[in-house]
Amino acid sequence: MSETTLRITEIFHSLQGESSTVGLPTVFVRLTGCPLRCQYCDTEYAFHGGEIQTLDKVLETVVGFGARYVTVTGGEPLAQKSCFPLLTALCDKGYTVSLETSGALPIENVDSRVIKVLDLKTPGSGEVSRNLYENIQYLQPQDEVKFVICDRQDYQWAQMKIDELALNEKVNNVLLSPSYGQQDAAELAEWILQDGLAVRFQVQLHKLLWKDEAGH
Ligand code: SF4
């Protein structure tokens, strides 16, 4: 049997910038490649290149940081088949593991111990047609659904989807983020308060701290 390998853009230790574990020291494993092209993408450097590494080498690097939380991200990590055994191996090692995924690829076979942070792409992203709604049935309570909001139309679309898909009955956290440099954060916060929307508002901590530098 051939050895499991992954194409890796970077592995680094930072503070979680998003989701309900925001602020926690976390190791990020960024897999190379993404089949989407969201207009606001801030990780275009992960579309190409990267380095082929064995699963064992990736695990060794993660262990070296001594953190408890690991986030597997991209690009779109599920575009690589070896992402599935990577997630399982990290869970087996006792890490709290989360997966950031675009929502465009099937999550059905992701290890059930993983916290899936699933995007639903809004019209403003330019990739709304890529949402794979079959994924919704595989969400577990510990998972999170994230909307990046580019404008008022996106906000109203998200509101509609939260209702239509009964997202608050499926997961404990529905996240709304303003698209950086496109949607005013305070304005989005006001809309959420006015409507009493049952969501968690978030701004990206790593953008506040480190702007767009790779490795954070
Ligand atoms: S899914 Fe994520 S990595 Fe891919 S283009 Fe969209 S924002 Fe960028």
Side-chain angles (χ1 to χ4, degrees), residues 34 36-38 41 43 47 75 102 121:
C34 181
L36 279 71
R37 291 293 179 268
C38 306
C41 185
T43 51
F47 287 168
S102 65
K121 296 296 180 190

Side-chain angles (χ1 to χ4, degrees), residues 30 33-44 46-47 74-76 101-104 119 121 125 127:
R30 190 182 304 285
C34 181
L36 279 71
R37 291 293 179 268
C38 306
Q39 55 80 13
Y40 49 67
C41 185
D42 58 2
T43 51
E44 288 166 316
F47 287 168
E76 167 49 76
T101 177
S102 65
D119 280 11
K121 296 296 180 190
S125 73
E127 290 286 30

Side-chain angles (χ1 to χ4, degrees), residues 26-29 62 67-72 90 95-99:
T26 301
V27 177
F28 292 83
V29 181
V62 170
R68 285 182 49 215
Y69 294 86
V70 181
T71 295
V72 176
L90 290 167
Y95 292 109
T96 301
V97 181
S98 64
L99 166 74

